[in-house]
Amino acid sequence: MPGPLEGVRVLEIGGSVAGAFAATVLADLGADVLRIDRAAQVPDAPVEPPADPLARGRRSVAVDLKHPDGPAVVLDLVAQADVVVEGGRPGSAEKLGIGPETALQRNPKLVYGRVTGWGQDGPLARRAGHDITFLGVTGALSVPGQAPATPPPYYLSSFAGGALQLVIGIQAALLERNNSGQGQVIDAAMVEGTALLSVLVDQWRNTPGRVTVVDAPFYTTYECADGRFLSVGAVEPHFYRELLDKLGLGEDLPGQYDESGWPVLAEKIGEAFLSRDSTEWEKVFADSDACVAPVLTPAEVAGHPHLQARGSFVEVGGQHQPAPAPRFSRSQRVVPAAAPYVGQHTTDALQDWGVDGWAGSTAVRGV
């Protein structure tokens, strides 16, 4: 079976990291993704495609949107598309003549997905922002009684709060279209998606009976004798008891949930981990449910035995990249094609999408 989104045509208006990630996920699921790139960036001769995991699995058509015919080329492609993914600032697509109102006039069944930092309206809609901006205003960096937390080393707001929320919205809109026969516009704001991820989780943690693990000595990382680190997530009491048993720590310790005793617990657990190399501890916890795992570098992840056994990483364009996820029982998981260079597929893609009348126009360019 092909990918579950086989037959779905996605037109990606290039230029946004969050939009690129959303388009990558859709391509991984089998959609035919065609990216609109700037004609000015087309190389003079064929070049080696970039090793860019956020550009894999799609084709590239180069269009000069400042050319009098440029918007018409894009709108002809819109007429053949199921989905548009656009990540410019609010109003930028409208200025180019390819905004959602115009696009839906050409194709009433179109799902027009937009992802921005602040959303399409509101007092900050046109303001710039980065991942840390949206983490800050949604409470994701707030640690009660402490200095604000260091932001995570990945784009939580852009990817999870923005791009993945957009993908969910696109899939929901495609499903709804089966009933209504109509398309619609999706406004995915990173700030709102991040709030959904962080604020609701924080409120859940503060529900009576729930355990807050922020800064807990049984939910953190510890250095070993070789300078490597292990992560510990022994939250549940039976997992915690197993952790102490494997570390050889006795019962004369403060209670697990006695926060006044956490400094002592952290010291004792830390001393235990420092007594051996990380490889020794990995063997000790190999068959354990104490939730202890190595802290790997990005370069080491693909070599982890479990990820190797599942084929969680694949080679794309000579580079190890995460395999498409999730998995399906029938639909096939295909290794994505390498990222294209700008304009690599202009002629072929225009023909495949049935708008090859523009192939000889100066509004488009390819190699």
Side-chain angles (χ1 to χ4, degrees), residues 297-310:
T297 66
E300 296 171 325
V301 172
H304 188 276
H306 179 82
L307 300 179
Q308 278 189 330
R310 283 180 57 84

Side-chain angles (χ1 to χ4, degrees), residues 43-364:
D44 294 329
V47 297
E48 190 71 22
D52 184 358
L54 291 187
R56 73 189 192 187
R58 74 262 268 154
R59 294 183 288 176
S60 168
V61 169
V63 181
D64 181 1
L65 286 171
K66 294 182 179 181
H67 188 284
D69 293 332
V73 176
V74 174
L75 290 175
D76 277 357
L77 290 168
V78 162
Q80 304 301 319
D82 296 289
V83 176
V84 166
V85 171
E86 182 259 307
R89 290 201 195 188
S92 59
E94 285 85 348
K95 286 184 179 179
L96 293 170
I98 56 174
E101 183 176 351
T102 304
L104 282 164
Q105 287 176 353
R106 286 295 304 272
N107 184 355
K109 293 185 176 181
L110 183 72
V111 173
Y112 197 111
R114 318 188 81 175
V115 58
T116 58
W118 299 101
Q120 294 297 316
D121 53 40
L124 299 179
R126 292 192 56 79
R127 286 275 298 276
H130 277 297
D131 225 64
I132 194 171
T133 311
F134 311 118
L135 291 172
V137 301
T138 56
L141 296 180
S142 178
V143 181
Q146 301 179 36
T150 302
Y154 46 82
Y155 298 121
L156 179 66
S157 291
S158 301
F159 288 0
L164 291 183
Q165 294 295 321
L166 177 62
V167 170
I168 293 170
I170 287 171
Q171 293 174 327
L174 288 173
L175 185 63
E176 189 276 340
R177 189 178 70 175
N178 292 336
N179 297 323
S180 68
Q182 299 180 25
Q184 58 183 307
V185 182
I186 300 165
D187 177 3
M190 298 174 200
V191 69
E192 291 168 354
T194 306
L196 188 65
L197 291 167
S198 58
V199 175
L200 284 182
V201 171
D202 185 63
Q203 292 173 344
W204 172 80
R205 286 173 178 161
N206 289 321
T207 301
R210 296 291 182 184
V211 178
T212 300
V213 296
V214 175
D215 205 36
F218 48 83
Y219 197 86
T220 185
T221 59
Y222 288 97
E223 186 177 5
C224 301
D226 56 1
R228 305 270 301 183
F229 283 78
L230 294 177
S231 63
V232 175
V235 178
E236 292 79 4
H238 51 295
F239 293 163
Y240 177 70
R241 288 193 297 271
E242 188 166 344
L243 171 70
L244 297 185
D245 180 63
K246 295 288 187 182
L247 291 174
L249 295 176
E251 299 295 328
D252 55 337
L253 293 171
Q256 179 182 4
Y257 303 120
D258 177 8
E259 294 190 26
S260 65
W262 281 3
V264 173
L265 281 179
E267 181 182 0
K268 295 296 184 182
I269 295 173
E271 289 175 350
F273 276 114
L274 275 173
S275 68
R276 299 190 192 183
D277 288 348
S278 60
T279 52
E280 295 180 62
W281 284 123
E282 287 179 46
K283 292 177 182 177
V284 170
F285 287 99
D287 298 317
S288 167
D289 277 339
C291 304
V292 175
V295 177
L296 301 177
T297 66
E300 296 171 325
V301 172
H304 188 276
H306 179 82
L307 300 179
Q308 278 189 330
R310 283 180 57 84
S312 301
F313 280 74
V314 294
E315 187 172 312
V316 179
Q319 181 186 70
H320 275 96
Q321 295 182 9
R327 301 172 187 229
F328 299 83
S329 63
R330 289 187 299 105
S331 298
Q332 183 178 358
R333 187 176 67 159
V334 179
V335 175
Y341 60 80
V342 173
Q344 182 175 349
H345 307 100
T346 296
T347 301
D348 292 343
L350 289 177
Q351 183 176 2
D352 289 348
W353 280 47
V355 295
D356 49 319
W358 292 107
S361 171
T362 55
V364 300

